Amino acid sequence: MTEEFRQILQAAGEEGLPEVVSYVNDHADLISDFIDLILARMAAEGSTNKSKLTMLKTLDAIFTASEDYRKVGARNLYKLVGRSGKENYLALKKIVKSWKDKKFFPSKTFRNLDRQIQNAAPPPPPPPPPPLSPH
């Protein structure tokens, strides 16, 4: 089953999220394996920022589908921040805020995620150099 899920995930892209969620619903007993696979794909060498963003959106769709899926996924959320990539920082922050607004996880989970996200934030750009003073 996980190989079939891997293939669906590979082919789906963002437009295929309903198909992914439908597959997860049909095989809910394997949700832990599915979440592990998504996180592994995010961490895989050569994983692009676009594919990591698609995996973030896939987790969002799965978590939206069922409270049971969120319970299983909650123990792996700490892996999410490091695997999302700095380029996806704003998208991750937006998705986590959405989860917080929907009260998907306990407050403590969000405090930990927010702290991780803050620590992973890309550094601000350097300040502009001071203007040259006339002599």
Side-chain angles (χ1 to χ4, degrees), residues 24-38:
V24 169
N25 286 333
D26 290 345
H27 305 284
D29 56 318
L30 298 172
I31 187 61
S32 182
D33 293 336
F34 296 154
I35 292 172
D36 288 347
L37 181 63
I38 291 168

Side-chain angles (χ1 to χ4, degrees), residues 1 6 9 17 20 31 41 44 50 53 63 68 72-73 77 87 95 101 105-106 129 131-132 135:
M1 291 291 170
R6 185 186 324 265
L9 204 55
L17 290 180
V20 172
I31 187 61
R41 283 208 48 205
K50 183 178 179 181
L53 183 58
F63 289 163
D68 291 337
V72 172
L77 286 179
E87 297 78 5
I95 288 171
D101 292 345
F105 303 102
L132 298 174
H135 293 303

Side-chain angles (χ1 to χ4, degrees), residues 5 8-9 12-28 31 34 38 54 56-66 69:
F5 180 71
I8 290 171
L9 204 55
E14 282 185 52
E15 61 281 347
L17 290 180
E19 180 184 359
V20 172
V21 172
S22 176
Y23 186 87
V24 169
N25 286 333
D26 290 345
H27 305 284
I31 187 61
F34 296 154
I38 291 168
T54 300
L56 272 173
K57 291 178 178 181
T58 301
L59 279 175
D60 183 43
I62 289 170
F63 289 163
T64 300
S66 169
Y69 302 160

